Amino acid sequence: MASLEVHKERLAVLASQFKALLTSFLKTTQIFFYFLFFLPKKNIPEGSHQYELLKHAEATLGSGNLRMAVMLPDGEDLNEWVAVNTVDFFNQINMLYGTVTDFCTEEKCPIMSAGPKYEYHWADGTNIKKPIKCSAPKYIDYLMTWVQDQLDDETLFPSKIGVPFKKNFLNVAKTILKRLFRVYAHIYHQHFDSVMQLQEEAHLNTSFKHFIFFVQEFNLIDRKELVPLQELIEKLTTKDR
Ligand SMILES: [Zn+2]
């Protein structure tokens, strides 16, 4: 009897060890795939001034005061501040949309919408001049590829120290942010239930709130463009400032 008990105990220990091993293996694989798919699409090189700015933004965000966190840090260049934050928002949106891509399909989202009242047609002004009606996944693919192309353009987003920004840089950034807003709008209107299921809503809200505070601080998106999420914006910006 005694040896049977010992045997059982050993089995239980082995089983729990195996379970722990399996869990850690699954976690590692999960992390691996997470990084494989959601690695920031645009990297700000470590050691650069822009990297310092990004770190500054992250540190002030941690203070919880978003209005303060989005302000231009003392002595910094507005263009560079807007550039670093635009890259950061692009990476965040890329990651957030990545979590709902399984639900955002040709069948489920045949049009790019933000609720029943707003529909977007894609045009980038250069390759596609006449707006085309397409599904949401297609539209967002066009949009994110277009933004990526802008961010990778060294003449628009110079990464080297001393290379100046073009005079129209803020206009370029405004167009990028205006378009990125539509991805938030689509996620909120069409995929919020999936976001809730994935328990990503806090992440989405924090990211969107930061985005809105930032564009409000520098007046980067027209009010009329923000209408599809107006109620949410009022809720998020009046609750705590
Ligand atoms: Zn969708």
Side-chain angles (χ1 to χ4, degrees):
M1 269 313 267
S3 82
L4 190 65
E5 283 302 314
V6 171
H7 197 63
K8 266 187 182 168
E9 247 171 51
R10 272 194 192 149
L11 268 181
V13 170
L14 271 177
S16 81
Q17 278 174 345
F18 179 70
K19 208 175 139 193
L21 200 71
L22 191 69
T23 317
S24 93
F25 171 75
L26 286 176
K27 263 197 185 141
T28 318
T29 345
Q30 210 179 2
I31 291 167
F32 173 74
F33 279 106
Y34 183 84
F35 277 104
L36 192 68
F37 291 110
F38 298 130
L39 248 188
K41 285 197 150 186
K42 162 97 183 172
N43 267 313
I44 292 178
E46 212 169 314
S48 66
H49 180 61
Q50 293 183 9
Y51 187 79
E52 302 279 309
L53 278 178
L54 184 68
K55 291 285 130 190
H56 170 89
E58 280 169 8
T60 46
L61 273 176
S63 76
N65 188 335
L66 273 179
R67 285 275 177 225
M68 290 264 286
V70 296
M71 283 177 184
L72 178 66
D74 276 349
E76 295 298 344
D77 173 39
L78 176 64
N79 286 341
E80 199 161 33
W81 182 238
V82 171
V84 165
N85 281 280
T86 303
V87 170
D88 194 31
F89 290 129
F90 168 71
N91 287 331
Q92 285 181 33
I93 293 168
N94 189 46
M95 204 155 97
L96 288 163
Y97 181 66
T99 63
V100 297
T101 42
D102 282 353
F103 313 98
C104 190
T105 59
E106 298 281 328
E107 296 74 37
K108 285 181 191 147
C109 302
I111 51 166
M112 173 61 178
S113 57
K117 283 193 274 177
Y118 303 95
E119 185 177 327
Y120 300 108
H121 297 170
W122 178 255
D124 60 17
T126 44
N127 295 325
I128 301 170
K129 288 192 174 142
K130 198 170 162 244
I132 49 171
K133 201 172 166 169
C134 58
S135 69
K138 190 106 199 161
Y139 184 102
I140 293 173
D141 185 35
Y142 276 131
L143 191 156
M144 296 305 268
T145 308
W146 176 83
V147 175
Q148 174 97 58
D149 288 345
Q150 312 303 299
L151 303 183
D152 287 343
D153 184 342
E154 275 288 317
T155 68
L156 295 176
F157 282 78
S159 57
K160 293 189 186 74
I161 295 170
V163 178
F165 283 85
K166 279 187 170 178
K167 277 202 178 113
N168 68 341
F169 174 75
L170 276 185
N171 283 333
V172 173
K174 280 179 182 173
T175 310
I176 293 173
L177 293 165
K178 175 180 85 181
R179 289 179 177 166
L180 285 176
F181 167 83
R182 296 171 185 169
V183 185
Y184 280 119
H186 181 72
I187 297 176
Y188 270 113
H189 277 285
Q190 316 303 136
H191 300 291
F192 197 68
D193 52 344
S194 306
V195 172
M196 297 264 281
Q197 270 173 25
L198 295 163
Q199 298 183 326
E200 281 286 319
E201 72 266 32
H203 186 190
L204 174 66
N205 287 339
T206 310
S207 170
F208 181 62
K209 195 168 160 182
H210 180 200
F211 178 88
I212 284 303
F213 276 46
F214 190 81
V215 300
Q216 284 180 341
E217 174 73 13
F218 304 104
N219 207 3
L220 298 167
I221 303 182
D222 271 359
R223 270 185 77 87
K224 67 173 192 330
E225 290 286 338
L226 300 174
V227 171
L229 290 179
Q230 199 50 49
E231 266 177 55
L232 175 71
I233 293 170
E234 271 157 33
K235 210 170 98 187
L236 289 177
T237 54
T238 50
K239 208 165 68 182
D240 54 336
R241 279 162 190 275

